[in-house]
């Protein structure tokens, strides 16, 4: 069974009023994400990895130089699906509620401290990569990863992510990555998804 591209969890135009256009989804979901799935299927065809789960492929191929292309495409397939789920068209962004809110207060010293850490990580990831809210040894942490790398290969539980590859924001924000980050925090973060991931951790 070939690897599949998961459907978007919302209509591609649903985030248009919240700073992420249908045009961005036409390219980011329809071209970039889709291409990672196609590449992964081509690279794993007729190999033992074709029958593994996506997360197994990610862990097996990480830091194996002979499997670098497989790692990059597998991780990017997973990262993008996780990213779409980190966004919501309904009441996204702003301060969280529930268990994640309590834990952000205790582990970061308040929502504003979390925002500061997240903005710094997302803005200072040089070149392509990702910013994450993760759980590590029971504590929340903000991290950044280069290119396709993700928390799964660092024994961390991912709770939320933001894609900071230039292709993620160029259509809507051109070179203004800080504005894209701010908009994500203000209007798009799916705190329900973070709460679900925290509860399942
Ligand atoms: Mn991307």
């Amino acid at each position: 069974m070939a690897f599949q591209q998961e459907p978007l969890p919302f209509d591609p135009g649903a985030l248009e009023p919240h700073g992420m256009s249908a045009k961005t989804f036409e390219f980011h979901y329809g071209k970039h994400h889709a291409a990672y799935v196609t590449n992964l299927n081509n690279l794993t065809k007729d190999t033992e990895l074709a029958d593994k789960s996506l997360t197994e492929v990610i862990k097996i191929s990480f830091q194996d130089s002979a499997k670098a292309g497989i790692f990059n495409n597998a991780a990017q397939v997973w990262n993008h699906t996780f990213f779409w789920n980190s966004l919501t068209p309904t009441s996204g962004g702003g301060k969280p509620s529930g268990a994640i809110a309590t834990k952000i207060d205790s582990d970061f010293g308040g929502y504003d401290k979390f925002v500061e850490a997240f903005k710094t990580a997302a803005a200072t990831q040089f070149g392509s990569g990702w910013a994450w809210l993760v759980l590590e040894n029971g504590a929340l942490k903000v991290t950044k990863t280069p290119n396709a790398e993700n928390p799964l290969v660092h024994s961390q539980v991912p709770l939320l992510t933001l894609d900071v590859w230039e292709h993620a924001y160029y259509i809507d924000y051109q070179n203004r990555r800080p504005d894209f980050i701010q908009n994500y925090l203000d209007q798009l973060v799916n705190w329900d998804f973070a709460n679900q991931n925290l509860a399942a951790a």
Side-chain angles (χ1 to χ4, degrees), residues 38-156:
T38 302
N39 293 341
L40 177 62
N41 282 320
N42 289 337
L43 290 166
T44 55
K45 194 174 188 300
D46 300 326
T47 76
E48 76 282 7
L49 293 177
D51 297 319
K52 304 279 187 197
S53 72
L54 186 58
T55 53
E56 283 173 324
V57 173
I58 290 167
K59 287 173 183 173
I60 290 167
S61 60
F62 183 56
Q63 290 184 331
D64 180 343
S65 58
K67 294 187 172 69
I70 292 173
F71 174 78
N72 286 335
N73 285 283
Q76 285 293 78
V77 170
W78 191 93
N79 294 349
H80 282 87
T81 301
F82 196 83
F83 178 45
W84 313 137
N85 283 289
S86 296
L87 310 172
T88 178
T90 50
S91 309
K95 288 190 175 183
S97 57
I100 195 80
T102 310
K103 198 148 175 62
I104 282 174
D105 284 344
S106 60
D107 293 0
F108 290 104
Y111 174 73
D112 292 346
K113 293 272 175 53
F114 155 75
V115 164
E116 194 182 309
F118 195 91
K119 282 163 78 165
T120 300
T124 61
Q125 172 52 42
F126 185 75
S128 296
W130 300 81
W132 305 86
L133 174 62
V134 303
L135 192 67
E136 184 184 65
N137 299 323
L140 294 181
K141 189 177 170 183
V142 164
T143 67
K144 57 182 177 178
T145 57
N147 302 313
E149 204 170 297
N150 70 34
L152 300 177
V153 297
H154 297 295
S155 304
Q156 298 160 334

Side-chain angles (χ1 to χ4, degrees), residues 28 80 130 163 165 167:
H28 201 181
H80 282 87
W130 300 81
D163 186 344
W165 283 57
H167 70 223

